């Protein structure tokens, strides 16, 4: 993607009169692209109705939380935001539709912000995470922040949790020192590539 350390994977879907088969995750191909293995520490399963917005979420780096995301039922607009302070693409937004037809997946590295909005009547999103949920190290940015300017569909009323609705804007999060630093993220990625993932944090 135009944001470094974020990737879209479009699998080959083999269909016949019985249904469909695909490889939605391949560790060897992920490692080739990222230069290191994706540590799988937690798998999340989210069921949401039309209009639900989850995010923009991120975690402190190190260790942060890399995610590999796909939509197994329905459709969502998946969003990656570069919130890494000092990044050449700081504030940039990338969107991709994830659905149960193309079966695309998105990988985002530690330090990137993630959100999605449900486009269908209901959607099920699954995502594998490199680190388990760590209260106190997880943060959010207002997904409706006009400074970020996420292009949410105008014909769908967004539904946010109270926590996400009360999240700071990008500027406020920057002022409070909540955002990951780009240099710290790059050092962490280098440690992962060097095989020091278990001790980088």
């Amino acid at each position: 993607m135009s944001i470094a350390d974020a990737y879209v994977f479009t699998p080959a879907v083999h269909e016949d009169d019985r249904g469909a088969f695909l490889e939605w995750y391949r560790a060897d191909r992920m490692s080739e692209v990222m230069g290191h293995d994706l540590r799988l520490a937690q798998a999340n399963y989210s069921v949401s109705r039309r209009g639900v917005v989850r995010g923009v979420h991120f975690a402190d780096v190190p260790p942060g939380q890399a995610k590999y995301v796909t939509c197994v039922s329905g459709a969502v607009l998946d969003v990656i935001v570069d919130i890494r302070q000092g990044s050449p693409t700081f504030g940039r937004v990338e969107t991709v539709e994830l659905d149960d037809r193309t079966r695309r997946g998105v990988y985002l590295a530690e330090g990137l912000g993630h959100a999605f909005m449900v486009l269908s009547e209901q959607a099920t999103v699954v995502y594998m995470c490199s680190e388990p949920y760590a209260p106190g190290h997880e943060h959010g940015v207002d997904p409706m922040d006009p400074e970020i300017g996420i292009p949410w569909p105008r014909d769908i009323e967004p539904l946010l949790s109270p926590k996400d609705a009360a999240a700071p804007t990008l500027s406020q999060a920057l002022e409070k020192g909540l955002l990951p630093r780009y240099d710290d993220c790059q050092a962490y990625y280098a440690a992962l590539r060097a095989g020091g993932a278990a001790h980088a944090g």
Side-chain angles (χ1 to χ4, degrees):
M1 305 180 83
S2 69
I3 297 174
D5 312 302
Y7 302 89
V8 177
F9 173 63
T10 304
V13 181
H14 306 281
E15 297 182 285
D16 59 26
D17 57 359
R18 300 169 299 166
F21 175 84
L22 65 142
E23 296 174 343
W24 75 277
Y25 171 73
R26 280 283 300 268
D28 56 344
R29 292 185 180 174
M30 291 287 285
S31 296
E32 287 175 11
V33 171
M34 300 183 307
H36 63 84
D37 293 338
L38 173 61
R39 176 174 181 257
L40 300 181
Q42 181 174 312
N44 298 336
Y45 188 100
S46 164
V47 181
S48 309
R49 64 184 177 87
R50 181 177 171 85
V52 165
V53 174
R54 298 185 186 271
V56 177
H57 298 152
F58 64 97
D60 292 334
V61 179
Q65 191 183 62
K67 296 175 181 175
Y68 184 71
V69 187
T70 192
C71 180
V72 297
S73 175
V76 302
L77 181 69
D78 202 71
V79 179
I80 297 95
V81 183
D82 192 348
I83 56 168
R84 298 170 297 186
Q85 183 180 349
S87 169
T89 55
F90 178 76
R92 182 173 295 176
V93 174
E94 278 269 15
T95 64
V96 59
E97 186 170 327
L98 305 180
D99 56 48
D100 56 13
R101 293 174 294 101
T102 63
R103 306 289 184 181
R104 280 187 293 256
V106 168
Y107 169 81
L108 58 150
E110 297 85 351
L112 294 174
H114 179 251
F116 66 81
M117 173 187 267
V118 177
L119 306 177
S120 50
E121 289 306 306
Q122 182 173 289
T124 300
V125 175
V126 296
Y127 40 110
M128 301 186 294
C129 306
S130 64
E131 295 289 333
Y133 174 72
H137 296 278
E138 307 281 340
H139 308 284
V141 172
D142 181 2
M144 301 301 157
D145 180 4
E147 180 184 356
I148 299 175
I150 297 172
W152 300 117
R154 296 188 178 185
D155 61 335
I156 302 177
E157 184 69 24
L159 177 61
L160 282 66
S161 71
K163 183 177 179 180
D164 287 346
T169 64
L170 186 64
S171 293
Q172 291 169 340
L174 182 62
E175 290 171 7
K176 293 178 180 179
L178 297 176
L179 301 180
R181 298 183 62 84
Y182 181 71
D183 289 346
D184 292 340
C185 293
Q186 292 301 311
Y188 187 72
Y189 307 155
L192 291 173
R193 288 191 291 270
H199 304 290

